[in-house]
Amino acid sequence: QSALTQPASVSGSPGQSITISCTGTSSEVAGYKYVSWYQQQPGKAPKLMIYDVTNRPSGVSNRFSGSKSGNTASLTISGLQAEDEADYYCSSYTTNNTHVVFGGGTKLTVL
Amino acid sequence: QVQLVQSGAEVKKPGASVTVSCKVSRYTLTELSMHWVRQAPGKGLEWMGGFDPEDGETIYAQKFQGRVTMTEDTSTDTAYMELSSLRSEDTAVYYCATDTGGLRFLAWAFDYWGQGTLITVSS
């Protein structure tokens, strides 16, 4: 069982917006700014999409945005495109000896 | 930008050890904070350990303490991850990845990734 809880799947139609949640505790998500989001296409390495809750690395589309409220972080993808179909993982720094924990992943389907 | 190229897939027997390499190009290893993340087949991501530039030491997830060793050869800009006492549950793709904070601080976000190395543990 993952330390961070994500929905197993979400779906949306092209052009729509979707939000993926990532729920933790005060030991990670709520307590620190170190929340990140990764996109993983089948058979590929993960790609960093969001870091420090809201920041986008250079080259990542501004259709991707991150936020946090209390124990829950969120990734919003606006203007869904077919190429956004992938697995998405959140991660956070944690005070326990694991240091970094990931969510179980969310499969995004673009209908 | 940073390029990370990992060694090829391996099959190991239970109880054996495996070493995965990660060659850095376009940057030098001394400019980076290298980490290792694994992913079991069909499962999520799991951080194993990495270099903490604030302490100048390598830190490991408690789960792997005593079984994993991460080293660096700065003369060849190659990072290594050795995992010992392998068991079937260690079957996974192993990735090297760099922390976005570089050598300034740990940002706990990983921006450049190797292509992954599949390690299969089977008798």
Side-chain angles (χ1 to χ4, degrees):
Chain A
Q1 187 173 352
S2 302
L4 303 180
T5 301
Q6 299 180 232
S9 64
V10 298
S11 63
S13 299
Q16 288 186 330
S17 294
I18 63 95
T19 297
I20 300 172
S21 62
C22 170
T23 302
T25 70
S26 58
S27 296
E28 350 79 9
V29 173
Y32 302 91
K33 69 170 186 174
Y34 302 117
V35 176
S36 302
W37 289 91
Y38 300 86
Q39 176 193 68
Q40 188 177 35
Q41 305 282 1
K44 301 291 188 181
K47 175 185 177 183
L48 181 65
M49 306 302 283
I50 297 287
Y51 67 97
D52 288 356
V53 180
T54 61
N55 294 335
R56 274 189 313 276
S58 175
V60 172
S61 170
N62 60 8
R63 297 186 298 105
F64 292 82
S65 62
S67 62
K68 186 180 79 166
S69 177
N71 291 348
T72 300
S74 299
L75 173 71
T76 298
I77 309 174
S78 58
L80 266 181
Q81 300 179 359
E83 67 204 48
D84 299 332
E85 188 162 289
D87 292 328
Y88 290 85
Y89 293 91
C90 63
S91 75
S92 174
Y93 170 76
T94 175
T95 53
N96 70 34
N97 289 330
T98 308
H99 295 288
V100 175
V101 288
F102 287 90
T106 298
K107 181 175 181 59
L108 169 62
T109 301
V110 180
L111 303 171
Chain B
Q1 59 184 24
V2 179
Q3 189 168 35
L4 306 175
V5 178
Q6 299 182 220
S7 49
E10 298 197 52
V11 179
K12 294 291 184 180
K13 293 193 180 302
S17 297
V18 68
T19 298
V20 180
S21 67
C22 174
K23 168 73 173 172
V24 177
S25 58
R26 300 180 184 173
Y27 273 72
T28 65
L29 196 48
T30 55
E31 300 173 277
L32 305 169
S33 172
M34 189 66 74
H35 294 249
W36 292 85
V37 177
R38 76 177 188 179
Q39 185 172 35
K43 302 296 185 181
L45 302 167
E46 183 174 33
W47 180 81
M48 299 179 68
F51 181 72
D52 181 353
E54 298 172 27
D55 292 337
E57 296 183 352
T58 300
I59 52 177
Y60 302 113
Q62 187 174 41
K63 174 179 179 177
F64 300 101
Q65 286 274 5
R67 246 190 359 123
V68 69
T69 304
M70 296 171 187
T71 57
E72 297 180 352
D73 182 344
T74 55
S75 68
T76 61
D77 288 318
T78 303
Y80 298 92
M81 186 284 298
E82 180 184 16
L83 187 62
S84 62
S85 303
L86 290 170
R87 33 209 189 229
S88 59
E89 310 89 88
D90 294 318
T91 294
V93 175
Y94 290 76
Y95 294 101
C96 57
T98 60
D99 187 275
T100 59
L103 290 184
R104 297 162 294 160
F105 57 88
L106 268 177
W108 300 107
F110 309 113
D111 47 3
Y112 296 103
W113 294 67
Q115 82 275 19
T117 297
L118 175 62
I119 303 299
T120 303
V121 183
S122 174
S123 54

